[in-house]
Amino acid sequence: MQVAILMIHVAIAIALVVLILLQQGKGADAGASFGGGASQTVFGSSGSGNFLSRATGLLAAAFFVTSLALAYFASQAGQAPEETGIPDAELIEQQQNAVPSLDEGSSGMDNTAPVLEDSGSN
């Protein structure tokens, strides 16, 4: 279900980008009134403002709904079940306390660094 919503979400995002790029800016109407060829489009002489504006609004609403659905699924997935294989914090602390450090229990071993002897020749 989540993958299907994600695919729809991506398709809506691409369609939104295309629709927004197809729309004319607000300053383009002035050029059309002086006989520019921009008013003779596929959508008729009245222009494409109504159709593209409504389609953009509907796609924006659908994008918002799919965003909320994906956020809901992500919040549900954030609740990890007990079988994830991650140990509890108490178990990690017990294991850290059980590991001996270099200072503990190694009284029979010499942990000092070797010292180089000076040969006396300079």
Side-chain angles (χ1 to χ4, degrees), residues 35-105:
S39 64
Q40 297 175 356
T41 60
V42 176
F43 300 104
S45 61
S46 64
S48 62
N50 230 1
F51 171 75
L52 291 179
S53 297
R54 286 185 183 178
T56 304
L58 289 174
L59 283 178
F63 186 82
F64 184 71
V65 169
T66 57
S67 296
L68 289 177
L70 288 172
Y72 174 75
F73 283 127
S75 70
Q76 295 299 318
Q79 300 171 356
E82 294 293 326
E83 302 172 2
T84 57
I86 300 172
D88 293 334
E90 296 173 2
L91 181 62
I92 293 172
E93 288 178 14
Q94 289 174 358
Q95 289 176 351
Q96 287 177 350
N97 292 336
V99 175
S101 65
L102 292 176
D103 297 332
E104 296 175 2

Side-chain angles (χ1 to χ4, degrees), residues 24-26 28 38 47 54 105 109:
Q24 296 177 356
K26 290 187 177 183
R54 286 185 183 178
M109 297 178 65

Side-chain angles (χ1 to χ4, degrees), residues 1-12 65-67 69-70 73:
M1 180 77 173
Q2 184 177 358
V3 174
I5 292 176
L6 183 63
M7 291 173 54
I8 292 169
H9 186 73
V10 170
I12 290 173
V65 169
T66 57
S67 296
L70 288 172
F73 283 127

